[in-house]
Structure formats: C-alpha cells, structure tokens
Amino acid sequence: MLADILNMPWWVWVIIILVLIGIRDIFLQRKHTIIHNYPVVGHLRYLLEKIGPELRQYLVANNREELPFNRIERGWIYASAKKENNYEGFGTDQDIYTHHHIFINNAMMPFKLEADHPNSIDKTFLPCAKIMGAFNKRKRPYRPASVINVSAMSFGSLSARAIASLNKGVKMAHAFHNTGEGGLSPYHSHGADVIFQFGTGYFGVRNEAGDFSMDKLKELVQGNSFIRAIEIKLSQGAKPGKGGVLPGAKITKQIAKIRGVEVGKDVISPPYHRAFSNVQEMVDFIEAIASETGLPVGIKAAIGKLDEWEALADIMKHTGKGPDFISIDGGEGGTGAAPPSFADHVSLPWVYGFSDLYRVFLNRGLTDRIVFIGSGKLGFPAKAAMAFAMGADCINVAREAMMSIGCIQAQVCHTNRCPSGVATQSKWLQNGIDPNLKSIRLAQYFKTFRKELIEITHAAGYEHPCQFRMSDIEMNVDDQNLAKPLNKTYIYDKSPVPFDGMQNLKECVYLGGNYQRDLSRIVLDGN
Ligand SMILES: Cc1cc2nc3c(=O)[nH]c(=O)nc-3n(C[C@H](O)[C@H](O)[C@H](O)COP(=O)(O)O)c2cc1C
C-alpha cells in the first residue's frame, strides 16, 4: 500500500495538497473571512497584496509617478553614484506646466571660470558660504566643506555596514555626517566630519536616570575630535512631537553600550526634552553646551506653529545668543518608522515651513548669524538651487544618501527586513553591503550633485549658490497666474549672504572636510 501511495502520479499529490489547504481554510482557520469564503483561491488575494508594490514599482508605475521618489529621481541618484551616464535624451519627460514645478532663470551670459578658479581645479568644490559658530564666537567654529551632507540617521535604524559606508563616503566627499539621535557608534568614526545629534532620549550622553549629562557630552567631544558641531533634535518632519519606544528586544549589547541604556529593557523617548522646558531655557542649554564643548550648537525641527520661533528670535535679538545653525526638516521627510497620520499630516512641507521660519529671522535681521540647513527631498541639484534661493546654506540628504549606497525604496525600514541591508539589523541582509564599494558610490553621488549644482549656478550667472535670489527661481502656482518668482509666492526677499569668492572659502582656516591638509600642501609646495 505504501508503494501504491508513493507511486501516485504528481497531479494526484497536487489535488491532495489543495484539498488539505481547502479543509484548513474552511474549518481550521478563523482569521481570514476571504480565505474561508473562497478556499484555496482566496490566498491569491493576499499574495497579490503582498507583491503589489513591487509589481507596480517595476512594471506598472510610469517614470514620474511614484512617491516618495519616482523612477527618474532614483535613476539619477543610482547613475550618479555609479558614475554612469545620468543624462536624459530627447528632452524632459516632465509636464513642466504642472503645479509647483520650478524654473531657474538662466543668465544671458553664464558665470565665466578663470583658469585658476577653485572650480577649474576641482569641479565639485562647494563649501558652505557661512561659518557655523562665527557670530557667537565659539571656540571651534566650523565651515562645512560641502554644502551637501548626510542627514541624521542613527545606527540602529540603519545597519552598521550602511553607517560605515556613509561615513567613509562622506570623508571622501569632504562632507559631514550627522549621527542621528542613536549615539556615536564605531561606524561613525572612519574619519569624516561628524555632527553629533541627540534627541529626547539623550542616547550616548545620558546618565543612569536617562537625563542629559554634560559630563558625558564633554567626554564624547574630547575623545572624538572629528565631532565638529552638536545638533539638538527638537523634531523631525516625519513625526514631529511623537516620542518613541526602543523595544528591549532590539537592544543588543553593542546598542546598549553606544546609547547608554540597559540590554533588553524598553527605553522610552518622550516627545519633549527634559533638559529644558521653554524657549529661554533652551537658549541657556545651547549656550551651556557651546561653552563647555567649544563647538557650534544647532537645533533641528519641523515647522508648524511660529509663536515659539518668534520668541526664540526675540531672545536672540536681545541677548546676542542662540543657536549657530538651524536644520529645517520638511513634512515630506523620511524616517525609520512613523504612524501614517503623523508622516502624512503633522508639520508643513519644506517650502512652506522654511519660508515661514526664515521670515521670522529675516524680519529681525538675524539671518547672517545662522547657518540654515534644509532637508526634505532636496537631494537634487534643481531642488537644492531653489532651497539656496530661499535662504538655505546647506542641504542635508537622508533617503537620497541611502539610495546611493543601494537602498531600493522597498519602504520596509520599520520591519527589519530591508532587502538591501541598509535599514536592518539582520546580519545576513547587511552582509551584502561592501562598505568600501558603497562609500565610493556615496562620494560619487555627492560630487556629481555638487558639480551639477555648480553648473546650474554658473548658468544663472553666479559663482556660488548662496548668491541665488528669490527672484531667480519661478514656480507654477495656479492656473490663472502660471509662474511667479519665489519672492512673490512666499513674500520675502532673502538677505544677501556675504560672499567674497570661492578662493576665500578655500583658504578659510575653519574649513572642514579634511581640506586643511590639502591646503597646507598647496602652501608648502608653493602652487
Ligand atoms: C531611516 C531614517 C532614520 C532617520 N533617523 C533620524 C534621526 O535619528 N534623527 C533625525 O533628526 N532625523 C532622522 N531622520 C530624518 C532625516 O534625517 C531627514 O531629516 C529626512 O529624512 C528628510 O531628508 P530626506 O528627504 O533627504 O530623506 C531619519 C530618516 C530616515 C530615512
């Protein structure tokens, strides 16, 4: 009999398996009505639902359709990162009459580069036109050597190999790397300039009670001279005002050590800071950190209500104190995980939030002393030009940087199953990342980005993007009034950034990004 069963044709086996699945679907499972009512075939619905995003991404969606980043945008990052041909043929495939489309007004005569201009020597050299901490006379002011930098993303939300790839790539690109709020890990320590961020969990700089510890911060800064500035995170665009729980299960020995928490025990980050509870206390906190560490100190936030920002600007005006830089994140910003209600609705998109905020400081004549950093899908040259015209001094990129090292926008960062190994702690998945190769990709993306931004700047008749004015960029706003310059749309004119030539930026003693070494060689060689 056993021999008869084993000799049954294959299709009888298939029928038996389907009948067993059908019995299970009807009688043994109670969770899914569809599977109960349509045994066996009901499974197809769940399968299609599961693979639907991939089917749409690869087969159905057109080039400009997907969000957060469409195929053309992703393709440009991938091609730039791999130093492949990132041009498009036959003209734009975008409908340039659509709402919010931006146009950059080109000059009749583009900016002319002389043979000895820094950009004739290095087509990607583009430092920040402002110095962090210069106005407040911090002990260690910092001029970011790249206007494009890596935005806050923690070790924990990104894999060790992803963080190492970013840090090594940032070093090659002379940029800076923001740690995110998860503390300073060994993977942030490959030599790039680092901006150390902490949020309400004070990870890496907390005492046993979970409160902020100035001693820990001082120790961290003293032990790691590559930390060039401190960023206090108030909020981020994807989930402003939302605290978080770091589940004990995710707290490995290494993460516990880096963050200063206990292995295996849930850690709560409240939505608010415990180190200060109003704007004046926040300014005092900033000043205390700056004087203890000597570093420029900034804040990061997504923008909504303006009353507390007005209060901050008033305090800055009256006391001459306050943050050295402000990172403004757009509501369209990314995250490892956030409830859709927050990600979709809480806080303003970048252009609205930034213009509201910039105006607060502009009205009080304070813009010169603040380095404005923008983030929120700004990782493309034309978007960056628009941001500069509105008053941004640097651009931070998070997801675009992830894509340059292999992220495929699977949008599963919150599941620990990131297929590209970038946003997961799975050893198996991240083993596919080779930090030596991926770091070159990040560096190439940054350099291509800066090169194209410089080219757009020259096309508009300027030497540095800080010279863009609001009236240089136009935007489709509605049907009656198809295109308006930014100053008419957002009703302000950016204050001119003091800029006296790229050569002066190159010679600045506060220039970061390992350029000083190159400069001393230039001086010693006498060329
Ligand atoms: C995986 C991931 C982790 C992030 N972690 C942090 C964080 O720790 N702190 C923070 O301020 N922002 C965090 N962000 C937000 C980014 O720094 C950035 O502000 C936002 O994604 C907008 O930039 P983008 O459009 O270039 O991605 C994170 C974003 C991502 C995608």
Side-chain angles (χ1 to χ4, degrees):
M1 167 139 165
L2 186 66
D4 285 346
I5 292 176
L6 289 175
N7 285 334
M8 280 192 310
W10 64 267
W11 52 267
V12 177
W13 281 109
V14 173
I15 291 174
I16 290 172
I17 291 169
L18 289 179
V19 168
L20 288 176
I21 294 176
I23 292 170
R24 176 196 159 270
D25 289 351
I26 299 169
F27 300 109
L28 301 180
Q29 71 85 29
R30 310 286 327 150
K31 263 174 43 194
H32 303 293
T33 313
I34 297 286
I35 287 182
H36 173 272
N37 294 351
Y38 301 92
V40 183
V41 285
H43 288 276
L44 278 178
R45 186 232 166 241
Y46 293 96
L47 178 72
L48 288 174
E49 188 187 35
K50 197 155 185 250
I51 62 171
E54 282 83 356
L55 287 180
R56 285 193 293 278
Q57 177 169 359
Y58 290 111
L59 299 176
V60 183
N62 74 34
N63 282 346
R64 298 277 180 185
E65 206 169 54
E66 291 164 280
L67 287 167
F69 297 93
N70 64 45
R71 197 178 293 137
I72 294 282
E73 291 171 327
R74 294 200 311 274
W76 181 81
I77 294 172
Y78 296 142
S80 304
K82 292 179 190 157
K83 241 186 173 171
E84 289 171 354
N85 185 345
N86 64 0
Y87 282 25
E88 79 187 13
F90 213 61
T92 181
D93 67 346
Q94 248 185 311
D95 177 0
I96 62 171
Y97 292 92
T98 50
H99 194 75
H100 262 209
H101 191 81
I102 55 169
F103 309 96
I104 297 157
N105 286 323
N106 55 302
M108 188 183 177
M109 310 274 175
F111 179 80
K112 190 172 170 211
L113 278 187
E114 301 300 335
D116 60 347
H117 187 277
N119 288 134
S120 299
I121 299 160
D122 177 356
K123 291 185 174 11
T124 71
F125 179 73
L126 191 52
C128 179
K130 289 187 190 160
I131 300 175
M132 287 181 182
F135 175 85
N136 289 313
K137 301 200 170 48
R138 307 299 187 204
K139 274 186 225 118
R140 286 177 58 198
Y142 174 53
R143 184 193 290 281
S146 166
V147 295
I148 313 298
N149 298 288
V150 171
S151 198
M153 289 182 286
S154 317
F155 166 57
S157 74
L158 297 194
S159 65
R161 284 178 180 237
I163 298 278
S165 307
L166 293 176
N167 195 268
K168 289 180 176 188
V170 159
K171 183 179 178 195
M172 285 179 221
H174 305 285
F176 69 67
H177 185 182
N178 188 312
T179 57
E181 59 189 308
L184 181 81
S185 73
Y187 316 108
H188 289 107
S189 312
H190 291 282
D193 288 353
V194 161
I195 293 199
F196 178 76
Q197 185 193 67
F198 64 82
T200 61
Y202 305 116
F203 296 127
V205 289
R206 57 193 256 143
N207 60 21
E208 272 168 22
D211 292 325
F212 173 76
S213 158
M214 186 69 88
D215 289 341
K216 289 250 168 79
L217 180 65
K218 272 167 69 180
E219 206 179 299
L220 192 81
V221 169
Q222 277 158 13
N224 300 285
S225 57
F226 54 80
I227 299 180
R228 305 301 303 264
I230 312 281
E231 184 175 82
I232 303 166
K233 176 183 163 184
L234 303 176
S235 58
Q236 72 180 91
K239 46 179 178 181
K242 168 102 182 69
V245 180
L246 182 63
K250 275 193 157 182
I251 306 183
T252 59
K253 240 175 150 181
Q254 187 186 34
I255 290 191
K257 190 162 171 255
I258 292 167
R259 298 200 177 198
V261 296
E262 275 180 55
V263 180
K265 212 171 142 193
D266 289 2
V267 180
I268 296 184
S269 304
Y272 47 82
H273 274 270
R274 289 185 303 269
F276 51 87
S277 47
N278 57 44
V279 180
Q280 181 60 61
E281 284 177 21
M282 182 180 80
V283 172
D284 296 342
F285 185 61
I286 289 171
E287 291 299 321
I289 291 179
S291 84
E292 293 285 344
T293 63
L295 294 180
V297 180
I299 49 179
K300 169 168 178 174
I303 309 302
K305 294 181 183 188
L306 290 179
D307 46 349
E308 284 157 317
W309 290 103
E310 308 254 1
L312 172 63
D314 285 339
I315 292 171
M316 288 173 71
K317 180 90 188 158
H318 294 128
T319 62
K321 295 177 175 161
D324 300 294
F325 65 96
I326 303 181
S327 303
I328 297 101
D329 202 21
E332 61 273 68
T335 173
S341 47
F342 268 81
D344 296 347
H345 298 289
V346 187
S347 83
L348 294 172
W350 192 81
V351 279
Y352 303 145
F354 184 85
S355 52
D356 275 2
L357 187 84
Y358 188 86
R359 233 183 283 120
V360 168
F361 294 97
L362 182 72
N363 290 343
R364 292 162 178 82
L366 296 170
T367 51
D368 274 3
R369 50 162 123 160
I370 305 164
V371 174
F372 289 96
I373 303 178
S375 58
K377 292 170 67 172
L378 296 175
F380 306 92
K383 284 275 208 70
M386 176 200 70
F388 273 92
M390 294 179 73
D393 300 297
C394 281
I395 304 294
N396 275 359
V397 292
R399 288 164 295 176
E400 299 91 320
M402 289 166 70
M403 286 190 267
S404 76
I405 61 165
C407 157
I408 58 167
Q409 190 171 269
Q411 293 171 270
V412 290
C413 315
H414 58 298
T415 64
N416 206 28
R417 291 201 308 267
C418 169
S420 64
V422 173
T424 175
Q425 295 310 302
S426 151
K427 285 258 176 326
W428 167 255
L429 291 170
Q430 60 171 300
N431 270 349
I433 296 181
D434 173 358
N436 291 329
L437 173 71
K438 298 296 183 184
S439 53
I440 295 172
R441 299 257 169 98
L442 183 282
Q444 276 166 187
Y445 161 54
F446 270 26
K447 289 185 179 178
T448 309
F449 187 163
R450 291 199 305 249
K451 178 170 161 287
E452 286 194 19
L453 178 57
I454 292 169
E455 286 166 354
I456 290 179
T457 305
H458 292 173
Y462 297 129
E463 185 182 4
H464 189 286
C466 74
Q467 296 170 295
F468 271 115
R469 290 165 305 166
M470 294 286 273
S471 52
D472 292 321
I473 315 276
E474 304 203 16
M475 184 184 271
N476 284 341
V477 283
D478 58 35
D479 287 346
Q480 277 89 36
N481 192 357
L482 277 179
K484 262 189 178 184
L486 290 177
N487 54 335
K488 298 276 185 308
T489 307
Y490 295 111
I491 325 172
Y492 71 89
D493 267 305
K494 159 192 159 181
S495 64
V497 175
F499 171 71
D500 48 9
M502 202 68 97
Q503 189 62 37
N504 282 317
L505 301 190
K506 194 172 172 182
E507 284 162 11
C508 172
V509 289
Y510 303 123
L511 186 69
N514 309 314
Y515 273 117
Q516 288 93 334
R517 219 171 302 131
D518 303 346
L519 277 178
S520 58
R521 189 179 56 77
I522 290 166
V523 174
L524 288 176
D525 290 350
N527 58 28

